[in-house]
Amino acid sequence: MLQSERIVSVTAAHTGGKASGKWIAHEGFVAEAAVQFDRINGTVARLERELEKARATIAEMTEEVHRSHRLAAFDQSLENSRNYKISELQRSGRDLKTRVERMEGDRKAYSNVTYKSFVDMDRKLAELGGLKLHIDRIEHAARRNEALFLGALALAAAALASRFFI
């Protein structure tokens, strides 16, 4: 018989006074061995269930560790990508700054420049463009007047020459 964790032995009082002597001891031994085997089988079954639970827990933990490693690798990949992009932007910025400095020349030479913004320079260039257009019109009118003057002078010279020679 199995009663929790106790071993119950069969004694002559429990046998009802039937067989006595060595058979009672033998039956008691068999009953006691059966109880111990039942306890051992119960313990083995419990340990097997615990082993299966432990294996399932270990499998879950292993999967979680693999997931964690994959997440860490992905995070590292994102960080490396971000760092590469930042360093590439910094390199491009330095390259652009070098090119602008090369185009601008020495900044100290231009510290007293009157026009310090593109809007001011654009306004002044528009004003100078209008002035150039006005000068071109004046030059064209002067050439026309010069041609008319030379034409009139040539006509007067021809008239004078015809009066003396004709």
Side-chain angles (χ1 to χ4, degrees), residues 25-146:
H26 177 62
E27 286 178 7
F29 174 76
V30 169
E32 198 173 306
V35 168
Q36 287 179 353
F37 283 137
D38 284 343
R39 283 184 60 205
I40 290 172
N41 285 339
T43 304
V44 167
R46 183 177 48 86
L47 289 174
E48 285 176 348
R49 285 190 303 273
E50 288 178 7
L51 178 63
E52 287 302 317
K53 288 179 184 177
R55 283 183 180 159
T57 304
I58 289 173
E60 289 174 5
M61 290 172 69
T62 303
E63 180 60 32
E64 186 64 31
V65 166
H66 289 310
R67 191 177 307 123
S68 176
H69 284 310
R70 287 191 303 268
L71 184 61
F74 178 70
D75 188 38
Q76 184 67 33
S77 171
L78 287 177
E79 185 177 347
N80 289 343
S81 174
R82 181 180 54 96
N83 289 342
Y84 174 76
K85 288 177 183 177
I86 288 172
S87 63
E88 183 67 22
L89 281 173
Q90 288 173 339
R91 188 192 61 74
S92 296
R94 284 191 302 267
D95 183 44
L96 185 62
K97 182 180 176 184
T98 303
R99 290 173 60 192
V100 167
E101 285 176 354
R102 199 175 320 132
M103 286 188 312
E104 286 181 346
D106 186 21
R107 289 184 183 194
K108 292 177 185 175
Y110 298 108
S111 62
N112 295 327
V113 173
T114 306
Y115 307 105
K116 294 189 178 188
S117 71
F118 287 118
V119 174
D120 294 337
M121 285 189 269
D122 190 42
R123 190 177 310 125
K124 187 62 176 181
L125 287 173
E127 181 183 321
L128 292 174
L131 185 61
K132 183 180 181 315
L133 189 65
H134 184 66
I135 290 172
D136 287 343
R137 279 193 222 129
I138 290 173
E139 283 181 353
H140 181 66
R143 286 190 189 117
R144 187 185 59 212
N145 289 341
E146 181 183 3

